[in-house]
Amino acid sequence: MATRISAAVKTIFKRYPMAANAVVYGTLVTGAEFSQQTITKKILLTNEESSAYDFGTIERYAVLGLGIYPHVYYVWYRWLDSRYVGTATKTIVKKLLLDQFVLTPPLLCAFFVIMSAMERKDDIFEECRKKMIPTFQTSCMFWLPAQTLNFIFIPPVARVVYVGTCAFIWINILVWIKRQKY
């Protein structure tokens, strides 16, 4: 039974790699927001007006997690893996630097701006201006070690799923940062 399921999953990822990666990544990102709300509203019992789930926010994370980020990652990692092949230290360092300092800043800016636009804020750039630097610093501490493991041990076909798994943790951090007042 497990072998049949494994074969089916491999077939789906082979035939529809972008869609399969989007579903897995989107589920993990949306689940991260859901878990964050569960922790803050149900377990920690914050003094928020309502302990009900904010499904509007969960939907916004689903838009990013299903519709934007996995597609960017899929194309990015295909390009990165075709341009820098192997696991030699020099190759890994190049991938890490490109990933963290070329891809990450625009993705973080996009996160704050797109979320602000979906939240219908008057100044969709305000949160990005205030939170970009501390968020990027935090992302370096989280993603550099995570991506080192990714580029050394994870086969290219599984990169987006691995990043999605790490993103479950990272989105919990990002959601916490987003909720902070700066």
Side-chain angles (χ1 to χ4, degrees), residues 11-156:
T11 301
I12 290 169
F13 271 86
K14 193 171 193 170
R15 284 191 186 158
Y16 310 102
M18 195 172 289
N21 279 297
V23 168
V24 172
Y25 185 91
T27 300
L28 289 165
V29 168
T30 305
E33 170 59 22
F34 185 81
S35 70
Q36 185 65 215
Q37 286 191 32
T38 299
I39 291 167
T40 58
K41 295 181 177 210
K42 306 291 183 185
I43 297 170
L44 297 178
L45 303 172
T46 60
N47 290 330
E48 295 184 32
E49 292 178 19
S50 170
S51 63
Y53 286 101
D54 178 356
F55 288 105
T57 300
I58 293 170
E59 289 170 4
R60 289 189 285 277
Y61 279 91
V63 167
L64 291 175
L66 291 164
I68 298 172
Y69 283 93
H71 307 287
V72 171
Y73 286 135
Y74 180 79
V75 171
W76 173 254
Y77 291 126
R78 282 187 55 159
W79 174 82
L80 200 61
D81 288 329
S82 69
R83 179 81 169 95
Y84 303 98
V85 179
T87 57
T89 302
K90 188 175 180 179
T91 302
I92 300 301
V93 170
K94 286 178 185 176
K95 286 181 173 182
L96 285 170
L97 293 175
L98 287 168
D99 194 66
Q100 189 63 41
F101 296 98
V102 174
L103 181 67
T104 298
L107 287 182
L108 289 175
C109 286
F111 169 77
F112 287 118
V113 172
I114 292 168
M115 289 296 279
S116 292
M118 288 191 292
E119 292 167 352
R120 302 180 197 277
K121 291 185 176 176
D122 291 332
D123 181 357
I124 63 171
F125 300 102
E126 178 183 15
E127 194 168 38
C128 185
R129 283 191 302 269
K130 291 179 178 178
K131 297 179 180 178
M132 178 60 191
I133 299 295
T135 304
F136 181 73
Q137 290 169 334
T138 304
S139 83
C140 286
M141 291 184 292
F142 179 84
W143 282 109
L144 286 171
Q147 291 296 60
T148 299
L149 297 174
N150 185 10
F151 296 136
I152 293 173
F153 299 112
I154 305 300

